[in-house]
Amino acid sequence: MINNQGGGIFSFLPVAGEKKELFETFIATSHNHCFSLIAKAFSIPYIKIESLTQWEKACEQSLNQEPSSMILECSTQRESNVFHHQKLYDQVKTHLCSFIKPFEVVH
C-alpha cells in the first residue's frame, strides 16, 4: 500500500495549486490512519517499508507464507507526488521520442 496520507490523486487537479486551503479541506481529505493497527485488528501481517532492500525481502516473504495476505506499507509525501510523476512522464516521453518518428500528415 502506498500511503500518501490521503487524497494524492487529487493533487493532479488544477484546483490543487490554485486554492490550497480549500483543496486541503474539501478535496485532499488527508488522514493520519495507523495501518499497522488496522492490520493487527484483522490479524493480517504488516511490514512498514523503509528501503528498497526491505521491499524486496517483504515481497519474497509475502509470496512464501500462509495465509498469503500481508500489508506492506510504503509512506510517500503527497506534496511531491505530482512533481515525481511529471518528471517520470518527461523521461519516458524523451525516451520514446528518441526513436519514434513524429506523426506525419499526408495531404
Side-chain angles (χ1 to χ4, degrees):
M1 168 183 55
I2 298 174
N3 183 359
N4 59 20
Q5 291 74 46
I9 193 168
F10 301 114
S11 298
F12 290 86
L13 298 173
V15 70
E18 296 169 3
K19 307 280 186 178
K20 189 73 171 166
E21 187 176 316
L22 293 173
F23 174 77
E24 288 297 325
T25 303
F26 298 108
I27 298 173
T29 60
S30 61
H31 66 79
N32 60 356
H33 299 308
C34 183
F35 289 98
S36 63
L37 296 177
I38 294 169
K40 185 176 180 180
F42 290 94
S43 300
I44 299 173
Y46 168 89
I47 298 175
K48 176 130 175 115
I49 304 298
E50 303 285 346
S51 69
L52 181 58
T53 302
Q54 189 179 23
W55 164 257
E56 291 168 343
K57 288 179 182 177
C59 286
E60 183 70 29
Q61 179 185 343
S62 70
L63 294 173
N64 295 320
Q65 72 169 22
E66 287 294 328
S68 59
S69 294
M70 177 182 276
I71 295 176
L72 307 177
E73 179 181 12
C74 180
S75 294
T76 63
Q77 297 299 317
R78 183 167 46 92
E79 295 79 19
S80 62
N81 189 34
V82 174
F83 169 78
H84 290 294
H85 274 81
Q86 186 63 50
K87 187 175 173 183
L88 180 60
Y89 172 81
D90 291 342
Q91 290 172 346
V92 170
K93 180 180 173 184
T94 299
H95 178 71
L96 290 175
C97 288
S98 71
F99 63 88
I100 295 176
K101 292 182 180 181
F103 179 73
E104 295 180 23
V105 178
V106 179
H107 296 258

